């Protein structure tokens, strides 16, 4: 599904109906600061089109998934964390704490990140 969903938070952010702090954008993607940052640098990259999650995005629009990832790399360059290192994350489902059902890539970095996996 790719048409804008009026109930979708990130469709509304892309449309400018809900404010966000823009970091980077292309014709197909939009990157903005996470409202509840989990690292010194925490940016979300979304496709402008609505796709539910990373798997459906990959199946429905693989070039758009590539655009999202390449935009994440550009964000890392622009934020000055390309050489210090960063993490690109897609959360899926409740165990991953996923809350917004519009595919989004987390770009995390700017400091030493914690380990993956179980809470500790
Ligand atoms: P996830 O848990 O992977 O679904 O990630 C959703 C992310 O969206 C969380 O990190 C939230 O902090 C973030 N978020 C929720 N609402 C907003 C908003 N209005 N502006 C920016 N980030 C948001
Ligand atoms: Zn959406």
């Amino acid at each position: 599904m790719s048409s804008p969903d009026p109930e979708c938070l990130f469709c509304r952010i892309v449309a400018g109906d809900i404010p966000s702090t823009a970091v980077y954008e292309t014709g197909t993607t939009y990157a903005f600061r996470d409202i509840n940052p989990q690292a010194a640098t925490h940016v979300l990259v979304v496709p402008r089109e609505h796709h539910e999650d990373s798997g459906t995005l990959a199946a429905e629009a693989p070039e758009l998934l590539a655009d999202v990832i390449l935009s994440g790399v550009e964000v890392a360059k622009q934020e000055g964390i390309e050489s210090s290192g960063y993490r690109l994350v897609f959360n899926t489902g409740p165990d991953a704490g996923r809350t917004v059902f519009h595919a989004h890539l987390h770009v995390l970095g700017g400091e030493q990140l914690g380990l993956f996996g179980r809470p500790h």
Side-chain angles (χ1 to χ4, degrees):
M1 205 271 261
S2 62
S3 55
D5 176 351
E7 301 297 315
C8 172
L9 175 64
F10 288 171
C11 281
R12 296 181 70 195
I13 285 179
V14 167
D17 295 339
I18 292 177
S20 62
T21 303
V23 173
Y24 180 77
E25 55 189 306
T26 71
T28 58
T29 67
Y30 178 61
F32 55 100
R33 296 209 185 276
D34 196 292
I35 203 168
N36 183 23
Q38 300 299 309
T41 299
H42 188 174
V43 175
L44 301 174
V45 183
V46 300
R48 291 182 182 276
E49 284 183 1
H50 182 90
H51 294 271
E52 180 156 327
D53 59 34
S54 54
T56 55
L57 177 60
E60 293 166 359
E63 290 186 6
L64 185 52
L65 174 61
D67 289 350
V68 168
I69 292 172
L70 290 169
S71 292
V73 173
E74 287 302 318
V75 165
K77 288 180 185 169
Q78 193 174 296
E79 294 287 305
I81 60 171
E82 190 191 20
S83 59
S84 54
Y86 57 93
R87 187 172 289 157
L88 302 179
V89 174
F90 288 104
N91 290 323
T92 305
D95 278 355
R98 204 274 180 95
T99 57
V100 179
F101 294 86
H102 177 130
H104 52 279
L105 176 66
H106 295 259
V107 182
L108 297 149
E111 62 186 325
Q112 182 66 55
L113 299 174
L115 297 175
F116 275 119
R118 294 188 175 117
H120 53 278

